[in-house]
Amino acid sequence: MQLIACPWCGQREETEFHYGGQAHIAYPEDPYALDDEQWAQYVFFRDNPKGPFAERWVHSAGCRRWFNALRDTVTHEFLAVYTGATPPSTTSTAPAAPQRKGQEASR
């Protein structure tokens, strides 16, 4: 079971939360001016990166408040949880993994 840190309630089990999609998607200034293709782009098309990704989450079984999270889509690890409009810096200070004998460092 993965724990997710709610900014207001603290760490809780993942079953208490629901995913809300990609974070920081601006609503169109004039939605009536969009043609069908532009509206479809806004509604259905989202980024799908490999690595850190800003997402919206709601603590549906707790405080019912929305927040943003920066999550690694490869490891599913939550790198940061925040309530503002900009993700915090996630530069890691962890030491590099030890190399096995005969293994080159990948760049």
Side-chain angles (χ1 to χ4, degrees), residues 27-103:
Y27 190 77
E29 289 183 26
D30 186 7
Y32 297 104
L34 300 180
D35 62 23
D36 289 344
E37 185 175 338
Q38 292 169 322
W39 189 250
Q41 285 287 330
Y42 168 73
V43 173
F44 299 111
F45 290 82
R46 295 291 181 255
D47 295 338
N48 188 20
K50 185 176 184 180
F53 186 56
E55 303 171 331
R56 298 280 295 154
W57 286 82
V58 64
H59 190 183
S60 54
C63 63
R64 298 183 184 183
R65 294 169 96 179
W66 286 89
F67 60 93
N68 297 321
L70 192 62
R71 187 178 64 87
D72 189 314
T73 60
V74 176
T75 63
H76 302 290
E77 176 187 5
F78 279 76
L79 305 173
V81 173
Y82 59 101
T83 58
T86 323
S89 174
T90 58
T91 55
S92 177
T93 57
Q99 296 290 317
R100 290 189 208 148
K101 186 174 181 176
Q103 184 181 28

